[in-house]
Amino acid sequence: MYRAVPPSLQATARSNTVVTFVIGRQGNIDELRVVESSGSATFDQIVLGFVRKAAPFPPIPPKVGNSLEFTGAIGPF
């Protein structure tokens, strides 16, 4: 897992946090939410912070569309 998250906090999670996020045309995050909790509200918030810190993303090419949606699991499992 991420070294920025202490092992004691990782241990509070029962599973990975599953998030969905939408990247807008300019690379900004238009939507970000937890779709499956890890069982630890604190761990879930840290995961949301990881995604926020990754922004901004590269702009989306016009041929691709106005936004892209991603769903993924992040966690110690």
Side-chain angles (χ1 to χ4, degrees):
M1 178 61 187
Y2 303 92
R3 292 190 175 137
V5 180
S8 59
L9 182 55
Q10 291 180 40
T12 65
R14 292 188 307 255
S15 62
N16 294 329
T17 301
V18 179
V19 297
T20 292
F21 59 101
V22 177
I23 300 173
R25 171 162 244 159
Q26 299 303 315
N28 52 311
I29 296 176
D30 286 349
E31 180 183 337
L32 171 61
R33 62 188 168 89
V34 172
V35 291
E36 268 183 56
S37 174
S38 67
S40 168
T42 302
F43 187 81
D44 293 346
Q45 289 303 310
I46 288 172
V47 167
L48 293 174
F50 288 152
V51 177
R52 285 185 193 102
K53 286 180 184 178
F57 298 92
I60 298 171
K63 292 180 183 178
V64 174
N66 291 323
S67 64
L68 293 173
E69 183 173 337
F70 296 91
T71 299
I74 302 172
F77 301 98

